Amino acid sequence: MSIARSMNAIRASTSALKSSSSSSLSLPKRTLATPVNTNLYTPVLPAKIPAALHLKSGQSYYGQNFGSETSKFGETVFSTSITSYTDSMTDPSYLGQILVFTSPMIGNYGVPSNSSAPGYPGIPFLESEKIQCTGVVVSDVALKYSHYQAVESLHEWCHRHDVPGITGVDTRAITTLLRDQGTTLGRLAVGDEASKPAPSDGEYWDPSVENLVAQASTKQPYTINAEGKGPKIALLDFGTKANILRSLVKRGAQVTVLPWDYDFNSIRDQFDGLFLSNGPGDPKQIMETAYRVRTTIDEWDKPIFGICMGHQVLGLAAGLEAYRMTFGNRGHNQPVLALASSGSISAGRVYVTSQNHQYALKLTEDFPEGWAPFFINCNDSSVEGIISTPESGKRVWGVQFHPESAGGPLDTIEMFTDFVNECQFGRAGGSNMIADEVKIGGGDAKAAAEISASI
């Protein structure tokens, strides 16, 4: 067929399609992906109430209030997360903190129902039952929202949970300040309080001097997925994220959640493994738990896995030091270098991770006997993981980041599979948790920082 005939055929087909469209084909009007029974088109608007963010370091930022009209004190921190603000705000590790989002618009997809998802009874849809942070700071809050799971706006959600927010401030300037001078105490003042002078130094509340873990932890033991076919895992709750529970249950584990100060050693023989969860605050506030975990490591030969606060508790139990970082790592984009191969983790590979922590384990030239650094942060050379060495005969992992994310990348999610399989099949099934290759460890730990800095 000639080119001219081909072009004529295309024109004829196009003409027929237009004719058909105008006579019989009626395309539905496009709408936003939000259920029609929400307040999307008639949103509940916050009143025009002034708000101010006062920092103990002397700076003040003025904007408009949304959410609760109650003034609150807290520790001012920032997160580089672009998505999943609902998950961040319900993460118990943010307890007592005023959360500054670096993403310019927050709230555009609203807030979903927090009822348990199908298959996960007893576990909230978000990361806990309520908003955990003390206040929220955003550049531009979205009052109209669009998402098929949304049931309310960020403003309505914060108002319902008595969490104040401020919008219309330069979050870039606030973040730069916090990066330069470090995390600082703050007050989110609302209404008449916003026009009053900033608090004096002695009036600021410092959450780090309190045992925040005791506030975030469950008060009574409970079991999830009691009919599961997988191993029985005990979880010491320092303020666990719900997705940690979902990640274990998804792999068939029966999970018994214990209060932070529960004497696990008195019941440890009932379980196939121990999990130490994330949580808020300074790990040195729960040294008594670290001492008990040290006994567990010395006397018990079953797998142990710790995340975030759990990782720091393992480090303290092993004899490492914990220190307060300048501004911490909070976001979904932290690269970490694996220094050992174990299970699904390969030495020498860089993994992108989700993180939320102010404290870290100190990288020392002389790592404790029986331990090696597992991961190191590619940005700041902080310790991102520790692992028991093959010579120790133990099966212990600790990671500072969140393999389960929610939100964030899932580069290391299979660590949960490795742990559950190890608890279920153990050494008889071929160990997944013993390091079969340690690139850097023991007295060579200092070299890890040099390698990280060269990446």
Coordinates of all heavy atoms in Angstrom, one line a residue, residues 170-233:
D170 N 8.3 29.4 56.6 CA 9.3 28.9 55.7 C 10.0 27.7 56.3 O 10.9 27.8 57.1 CB 10.3 30.1 55.5 CG 11.4 29.7 54.4 OD1 11.5 28.6 54.0 OD2 12.1 30.7 54.0
T171 N 9.5 26.5 55.9 CA 10.1 25.3 56.5 C 11.5 25.1 56.0 O 12.3 24.3 56.6 CB 9.2 24.1 56.1 OG1 9.0 24.1 54.7 CG2 7.9 24.2 56.9
R172 N 11.9 25.6 54.8 CA 13.3 25.5 54.4 C 14.2 26.2 55.3 O 15.3 25.7 55.7 CB 13.4 26.1 53.0 CG 12.6 25.4 51.9 CD 12.7 26.2 50.6 NE 12.1 27.5 50.8 CZ 12.0 28.4 49.8 NH1 12.5 28.1 48.6 NH2 11.5 29.6 50.0
A173 N 13.8 27.4 55.8 CA 14.7 28.2 56.7 C 14.8 27.4 58.1 O 15.8 27.4 58.7 CB 14.1 29.6 56.9
I174 N 13.6 26.9 58.5 CA 13.6 26.2 59.8 C 14.5 24.9 59.7 O 15.3 24.6 60.6 CB 12.2 25.8 60.2 CG1 11.3 27.0 60.4 CG2 12.2 24.9 61.5 CD1 9.8 26.7 60.6
T175 N 14.4 24.2 58.6 CA 15.2 23.0 58.5 C 16.7 23.3 58.4 O 17.5 22.6 59.0 CB 14.8 22.2 57.2 OG1 13.4 21.9 57.3 CG2 15.6 21.0 57.0
T176 N 17.0 24.4 57.7 CA 18.4 24.8 57.6 C 19.0 25.1 59.0 O 20.1 24.7 59.3 CB 18.6 26.0 56.6 OG1 18.1 25.6 55.3 CG2 20.1 26.4 56.6
L177 N 18.2 25.8 59.7 CA 18.6 26.2 61.1 C 18.8 24.9 61.9 O 19.8 24.8 62.7 CB 17.5 27.1 61.7 CG 17.8 27.5 63.2 CD1 18.8 28.6 63.2 CD2 16.5 28.1 63.8
L178 N 17.9 24.0 61.9 CA 18.0 22.8 62.7 C 19.2 21.9 62.3 O 19.8 21.3 63.1 CB 16.7 21.9 62.6 CG 15.5 22.6 63.2 CD1 14.2 21.7 63.0 CD2 15.6 22.9 64.7
R179 N 19.5 21.9 61.0 CA 20.7 21.2 60.5 C 22.0 21.8 61.0 O 22.9 21.2 61.3 CB 20.7 21.1 59.0 CG 19.7 20.1 58.4 CD 19.9 20.0 56.9 NE 21.3 19.5 56.6 CZ 21.6 18.3 56.4 NH1 20.7 17.3 56.5 NH2 22.9 18.0 56.1
D180 N 22.0 23.2 61.0 CA 23.2 23.9 61.4 C 23.4 23.9 62.9 O 24.6 23.7 63.4 CB 23.1 25.3 60.9 CG 23.2 25.5 59.4 OD1 23.6 24.5 58.8 OD2 22.8 26.5 58.9
Q181 N 22.4 24.1 63.7 CA 22.6 24.2 65.1 C 22.1 22.9 65.9 O 22.4 22.8 67.0 CB 21.8 25.4 65.7 CG 20.3 25.2 65.7 CD 19.6 26.4 66.3 OE1 20.1 27.5 66.3 NE2 18.4 26.2 66.8
G182 N 21.4 22.1 65.2 CA 20.9 20.9 65.8 C 19.5 21.0 66.3 O 18.9 22.1 66.4
T183 N 18.9 19.8 66.6 CA 17.6 19.8 67.1 C 17.4 20.6 68.3 O 18.3 20.7 69.2 CB 17.2 18.3 67.5 OG1 17.2 17.5 66.3 CG2 15.9 18.2 68.1
T184 N 16.3 21.4 68.4 CA 16.2 22.3 69.6 C 14.8 22.2 70.1 O 13.8 21.7 69.5 CB 16.5 23.7 69.1 OG1 16.4 24.6 70.3 CG2 15.4 24.2 68.1
L185 N 14.6 22.6 71.4 CA 13.3 22.6 72.0 C 12.5 23.7 71.4 O 13.0 24.8 71.0 CB 13.4 22.8 73.5 CG 14.3 21.7 74.3 CD1 14.3 22.0 75.7 CD2 13.8 20.3 74.0
G186 N 11.1 23.6 71.4 CA 10.3 24.6 70.8 C 8.9 24.6 71.5 O 8.6 23.8 72.3
R187 N 8.2 25.6 71.1 CA 6.8 25.8 71.5 C 6.0 26.2 70.3 O 6.3 27.2 69.6 CB 6.6 26.8 72.6 CG 5.2 26.8 73.2 CD 4.9 27.9 74.2 NE 3.7 27.6 74.9 CZ 2.8 28.6 75.2 NH1 3.1 29.8 74.9 NH2 1.7 28.3 75.8
L188 N 4.9 25.5 70.1 CA 3.9 25.9 69.1 C 2.8 26.6 69.8 O 2.0 26.0 70.5 CB 3.4 24.7 68.3 CG 3.1 24.9 66.8 CD1 2.9 23.5 66.1 CD2 1.8 25.7 66.7
A189 N 2.8 28.0 69.6 CA 1.8 28.8 70.3 C 0.7 29.2 69.4 O 0.9 29.5 68.2 CB 2.5 30.1 70.8
V190 N -0.6 29.1 69.9 CA -1.7 29.3 69.1 C -2.6 30.4 69.7 O -2.7 30.6 70.9 CB -2.5 28.0 68.9 CG1 -3.8 28.2 68.1 CG2 -1.7 26.9 68.3
G191 N -3.3 31.2 68.8 CA -4.2 32.2 69.2 C -3.5 33.4 69.9 O -2.5 33.9 69.5
D192 N -4.1 33.8 71.1 CA -3.6 34.9 71.8 C -2.1 34.6 72.3 O -1.3 35.5 72.5 CB -4.4 35.2 73.1 CG -5.8 35.7 72.7 OD1 -5.9 36.2 71.6 OD2 -6.7 35.6 73.5
E193 N -1.8 33.3 72.5 CA -0.5 32.9 72.9 C 0.6 33.3 71.8 O 1.7 33.5 72.2 CB -0.4 31.4 73.2 CG -1.3 30.9 74.3 CD -0.8 31.4 75.7 OE1 0.4 31.5 75.9 OE2 -1.7 31.7 76.5
A194 N 0.2 33.3 70.6 CA 1.1 33.5 69.5 C 1.7 35.0 69.5 O 2.8 35.2 69.0 CB 0.4 33.3 68.1
S195 N 0.9 35.9 70.1 CA 1.4 37.3 70.1 C 2.2 37.6 71.4 O 2.7 38.7 71.5 CB 0.2 38.2 70.0 OG -0.7 38.0 71.1
K196 N 2.2 36.7 72.3 CA 3.0 36.9 73.5 C 4.5 36.6 73.3 O 4.8 35.9 72.3 CB 2.4 36.0 74.6 CG 1.0 36.3 75.0 CD 0.5 35.4 76.2 CE -0.9 35.8 76.6 NZ -1.4 34.9 77.6
P197 N 5.3 37.1 74.1 CA 6.8 36.9 74.0 C 7.1 35.4 74.1 O 6.3 34.6 74.6 CB 7.4 37.6 75.2 CG 6.4 38.6 75.6 CD 5.0 38.1 75.3
A198 N 8.2 35.0 73.4 CA 8.6 33.6 73.5 C 8.9 33.2 74.9 O 9.2 34.0 75.8 CB 9.9 33.4 72.6
P199 N 8.7 31.9 75.2 CA 9.0 31.4 76.6 C 10.4 31.7 77.0 O 11.3 31.7 76.1 CB 8.7 29.9 76.5 CG 7.8 29.7 75.3 CD 8.3 30.8 74.3
S200 N 10.7 31.8 78.3 CA 12.0 31.8 78.8 C 12.7 30.5 78.7 O 12.0 29.4 78.5 CB 12.1 32.3 80.2 OG 11.4 31.4 81.1
D201 N 14.0 30.4 78.8 CA 14.7 29.1 78.6 C 14.2 28.1 79.6 O 14.1 26.9 79.3 CB 16.2 29.3 78.8 CG 16.8 30.0 77.7 OD1 16.1 30.3 76.7 OD2 18.1 30.3 77.7
G202 N 13.9 28.5 80.8 CA 13.4 27.5 81.8 C 12.0 27.0 81.6 O 11.6 26.0 82.3
E203 N 11.3 27.6 80.7 CA 9.9 27.2 80.5 C 9.8 26.0 79.5 O 8.7 25.4 79.4 CB 9.0 28.3 80.0 CG 8.8 29.4 81.1 CD 8.0 30.6 80.6 OE1 8.5 31.4 79.8 OE2 6.7 30.6 80.9
Y204 N 10.8 25.9 78.6 CA 10.7 24.8 77.6 C 10.8 23.4 78.2 O 11.5 23.2 79.1 CB 11.9 25.0 76.6 CG 11.7 26.2 75.6 CD1 12.2 27.4 75.9 CD2 10.9 26.0 74.5 CE1 12.0 28.5 75.0 CE2 10.8 27.1 73.6 CZ 11.3 28.3 73.9 OH 11.1 29.3 73.0
W205 N 9.9 22.6 77.6 CA 9.9 21.2 78.1 C 10.8 20.3 77.3 O 10.8 20.4 76.1 CB 8.4 20.7 78.0 CG 8.3 19.2 78.2 CD1 8.6 18.5 79.4 CD2 7.8 18.2 77.3 NE1 8.4 17.1 79.2 CE2 7.9 16.9 77.9 CE3 7.4 18.3 76.0 CZ2 7.5 15.7 77.3 CZ3 7.0 17.1 75.3 CH2 7.0 15.9 76.0
D206 N 11.6 19.5 78.0 CA 12.6 18.7 77.3 C 12.1 17.2 77.4 O 12.3 16.6 78.5 CB 14.0 18.8 77.9 CG 15.1 18.0 77.1 OD1 14.7 17.3 76.2 OD2 16.2 18.1 77.5
P207 N 11.6 16.6 76.3 CA 11.1 15.2 76.4 C 12.2 14.2 76.6 O 11.9 13.1 77.1 CB 10.4 15.0 75.1 CG 11.0 16.0 74.2 CD 11.3 17.2 75.0
S208 N 13.4 14.6 76.3 CA 14.5 13.6 76.4 C 14.9 13.2 77.8 O 15.5 12.2 78.0 CB 15.8 14.1 75.6 OG 16.3 15.2 76.3
V209 N 14.5 14.0 78.8 CA 14.8 13.7 80.2 C 13.8 12.7 80.8 O 13.9 12.3 81.9 CB 14.9 15.0 81.0 CG1 16.0 15.9 80.5 CG2 13.6 15.7 81.1
E210 N 12.7 12.4 80.0 CA 11.7 11.6 80.5 C 11.8 10.2 79.9 O 12.4 10.0 78.8 CB 10.3 12.1 80.2 CG 10.0 13.5 80.9 CD 8.6 13.9 80.7 OE1 7.7 13.0 80.3 OE2 8.2 15.0 81.0
N211 N 11.2 9.2 80.5 CA 11.2 7.8 80.0 C 10.0 7.8 79.0 O 8.9 7.3 79.4 CB 11.1 6.8 81.1 CG 11.2 5.4 80.6 OD1 11.1 5.1 79.4 ND2 11.3 4.4 81.5
L212 N 10.2 8.2 77.8 CA 9.2 8.2 76.8 C 8.8 6.8 76.4 O 7.6 6.5 76.0 CB 9.6 9.0 75.5 CG 9.9 10.4 75.7 CD1 10.4 11.1 74.5 CD2 8.7 11.2 76.3
V213 N 9.7 5.8 76.5 CA 9.4 4.4 76.2 C 8.3 3.9 77.1 O 7.4 3.2 76.6 CB 10.7 3.5 76.3 CG1 10.3 2.1 76.3 CG2 11.6 3.9 75.2
A214 N 8.3 4.3 78.3 CA 7.3 3.8 79.3 C 5.9 4.4 78.9 O 4.9 3.7 79.1 CB 7.7 4.3 80.7
Q215 N 5.9 5.6 78.3 CA 4.7 6.2 77.8 C 4.1 5.5 76.6 O 2.9 5.4 76.4 CB 4.8 7.7 77.6 CG 5.3 8.4 78.8 CD 5.5 9.9 78.5 OE1 4.8 10.5 77.7 NE2 6.5 10.5 79.2
A216 N 5.0 5.1 75.7 CA 4.7 4.6 74.4 C 4.3 3.1 74.4 O 3.6 2.6 73.6 CB 5.8 4.8 73.4
S217 N 4.9 2.4 75.4 CA 4.8 0.9 75.4 C 3.4 0.4 75.9 O 2.7 1.2 76.6 CB 5.9 0.3 76.4 OG 5.7 -1.1 76.5
T218 N 3.1 -0.8 75.5 CA 1.8 -1.4 76.0 C 1.9 -1.6 77.5 O 3.0 -1.8 78.0 CB 1.6 -2.7 75.3 OG1 0.4 -3.3 75.8 CG2 2.7 -3.8 75.6
K219 N 0.8 -1.5 78.2 CA 0.8 -1.7 79.6 C 0.6 -3.2 80.0 O 0.9 -3.6 81.1 CB -0.3 -0.8 80.3 CG -0.1 0.7 79.9 CD 1.2 1.2 80.4 CE 1.4 2.7 80.1 NZ 1.6 3.0 78.7
Q220 N 0.0 -3.9 79.1 CA -0.3 -5.3 79.4 C 0.1 -6.2 78.2 O 0.0 -5.8 77.0 CB -1.8 -5.6 79.6 CG -2.3 -4.8 80.8 CD -1.8 -5.4 82.1 OE1 -1.4 -6.5 82.2 NE2 -1.7 -4.5 83.2
P221 N 0.6 -7.4 78.4 CA 1.0 -8.3 77.3 C -0.3 -8.7 76.5 O -1.4 -8.8 77.1 CB 1.5 -9.6 78.0 CG 1.9 -9.1 79.4 CD 0.9 -8.0 79.8
Y222 N -0.1 -8.9 75.2 CA -1.2 -9.4 74.4 C -0.6 -10.1 73.2 O 0.6 -10.0 72.9 CB -2.1 -8.3 73.9 CG -1.4 -7.2 73.0 CD1 -1.5 -7.3 71.6 CD2 -0.8 -6.1 73.6 CE1 -0.9 -6.4 70.8 CE2 -0.2 -5.2 72.8 CZ -0.2 -5.3 71.4 OH 0.4 -4.4 70.6
T223 N -1.4 -11.0 72.6 CA -0.9 -11.8 71.5 C -1.7 -11.6 70.2 O -2.9 -11.4 70.3 CB -1.0 -13.3 71.9 OG1 -0.2 -13.6 73.0 CG2 -0.5 -14.2 70.7
I224 N -1.0 -11.5 69.1 CA -1.5 -11.3 67.8 C -1.3 -12.5 67.0 O -0.2 -13.1 67.0 CB -0.9 -10.0 67.2 CG1 -1.4 -8.8 67.9 CG2 -1.4 -9.9 65.7 CD1 -0.8 -7.5 67.4
N225 N -2.3 -12.9 66.2 CA -2.1 -14.1 65.3 C -1.8 -15.3 66.1 O -0.9 -16.1 65.8 CB -1.0 -13.9 64.3 CG -1.1 -14.8 63.1 OD1 -2.2 -15.3 62.7 ND2 0.0 -15.2 62.6
A226 N -2.6 -15.5 67.2 CA -2.4 -16.7 68.1 C -2.5 -18.0 67.4 O -2.0 -19.0 67.8 CB -3.4 -16.6 69.3
E227 N -3.3 -18.0 66.2 CA -3.5 -19.3 65.5 C -2.5 -19.4 64.4 O -2.6 -20.4 63.5 CB -4.9 -19.3 64.9 CG -6.0 -19.1 66.0 CD -5.9 -20.2 67.1 OE1 -5.7 -21.4 66.7 OE2 -6.1 -19.9 68.2
G228 N -1.5 -18.6 64.3 CA -0.5 -18.7 63.2 C 0.3 -20.0 63.2 O 0.5 -20.6 64.3
K229 N 0.7 -20.4 62.1 CA 1.4 -21.6 61.9 C 3.0 -21.4 62.1 O 3.7 -22.4 62.1 CB 1.1 -22.3 60.6 CG -0.3 -22.5 60.3 CD -1.0 -23.4 61.3 CE -2.5 -23.6 61.0 NZ -3.1 -24.4 62.0
G230 N 3.4 -20.2 62.2 CA 4.8 -19.9 62.3 C 5.4 -20.0 63.7 O 4.7 -20.4 64.6
P231 N 6.6 -19.5 63.9 CA 7.2 -19.5 65.2 C 6.5 -18.6 66.2 O 5.8 -17.6 65.8 CB 8.6 -19.1 64.9 CG 8.5 -18.2 63.7 CD 7.4 -18.8 62.9
K232 N 6.8 -18.8 67.5 CA 6.3 -17.9 68.5 C 7.4 -16.9 68.8 O 8.5 -17.3 69.3 CB 6.0 -18.8 69.8 CG 4.8 -19.7 69.6 CD 4.5 -20.5 70.9 CE 3.3 -21.4 70.7 NZ 3.0 -22.2 71.9
I233 N 7.1 -15.6 68.6 CA 8.0 -14.6 68.8 C 7.6 -13.6 69.9 O 6.4 -13.2 69.9 CB 8.3 -13.8 67.5 CG1 8.9 -14.8 66.4 CG2 9.1 -12.6 67.7 CD1 9.0 -14.2 65.1

